Amino acid sequence: MFKVLFLLFIVVPIVEIALLIQVSDVIGGFATIALVIATAILGAKLVKQQGLGAYSNVQRQMASGQLPGQDLFTGLCVIIAGVFLMTPGIMTDALGFMLLTPVIRQKIAKTLIEQASVKMQSSAQGNMFGQGFGQQQPHQDTQAPFQEQKFDPFERKAPQSESQSNTTIEGEYQRKD
């Protein structure tokens, strides 16, 4: 954790200052300041536009009974991009604009899903609930206890019909002490 905070609060500002100095040597001081202000304004408009679009998609999918995984990830990327774009600097602006690009967001999501599935598979091979260290109980089923399953949280699924949905039993609960 210390390394991450060190990177964020010490290394990134030093790199940003160095880049701003180099850019100001090429295009001039006032032009560099104008560039930083223009990217902040443009970034704010793009973040607002894409953020509202992701928000409306999340609401629409939730209203239709679907899990809005991809649009929630889009919203998270847009928020992070907004923070990067509001931070003065060239490197953070480049990272912010990259996060606003749908193709890059999809590649990041794909990478995160692959890493999560690897972690889930490796943890599934460890101890199960109720088993101690090295105590393996025989598995009577013909299938392996953990089969590799592909899980895509961003997969869009059609809402279930009444006949396919689970039965809900309604009633009242009264606590008696």
Side-chain angles (χ1 to χ4, degrees):
M1 186 65 172
F2 176 74
K3 291 179 183 179
V4 173
L5 291 176
F6 181 78
L7 180 75
L8 284 175
F9 292 113
I10 304 296
V11 175
V12 171
I14 290 172
V15 170
E16 287 290 356
I17 291 169
L19 284 173
L20 286 172
I21 290 171
Q22 288 180 351
V23 169
S24 68
D25 285 344
V26 174
I27 64 173
F30 289 115
T32 303
I33 293 171
L35 177 68
V36 169
I37 292 172
T39 57
I41 292 171
L42 177 65
K45 288 183 180 188
L46 288 173
V47 165
K48 180 181 177 183
Q49 177 187 10
Q50 289 192 13
L52 288 174
Y55 179 71
S56 65
N57 287 341
V58 166
Q59 284 195 332
R60 187 176 329 114
Q61 286 181 356
M62 288 179 69
S64 67
Q66 296 176 343
L67 181 66
Q70 187 169 8
D71 289 315
L72 286 175
F73 183 75
T74 298
L76 178 66
C77 287
V78 168
I79 289 171
I80 294 171
V83 170
F84 280 150
L85 289 168
M86 291 297 137
T87 304
I90 295 173
M91 181 178 68
T92 54
D93 287 345
L95 289 173
F97 283 121
M98 284 173 39
L99 281 176
L100 290 178
T101 308
V103 173
I104 293 177
R105 282 195 306 252
Q106 290 171 356
K107 288 185 180 187
I108 291 171
K110 182 180 176 184
T111 303
L112 290 175
I113 288 171
E114 288 172 357
Q115 287 181 352
S117 73
V118 167
K119 287 183 181 180
M120 286 174 46
Q121 289 173 6
S122 65
S123 66
Q125 293 171 357
N127 292 338
M128 291 180 54
F129 294 110
Q131 293 181 351
F133 296 101
Q135 298 175 354
Q136 293 287 331
Q137 294 184 4
H139 190 68
Q140 279 85 14
D141 199 1
T142 57
Q143 297 178 338
F146 295 104
Q147 293 179 344
E148 185 177 332
Q149 296 178 357
K150 296 290 182 185
F151 174 70
D152 185 6
F154 301 123
E155 180 181 342
R156 298 181 190 263
K157 296 180 181 176
Q160 295 180 343
S161 66
E162 277 299 318
S163 64
Q164 293 176 342
S165 66
N166 294 334
T167 304
T168 302
I169 300 172
E170 294 186 21
E172 294 183 19
Y173 171 76
Q174 234 179 8
R175 184 176 179 159
K176 295 181 181 181
D177 289 327

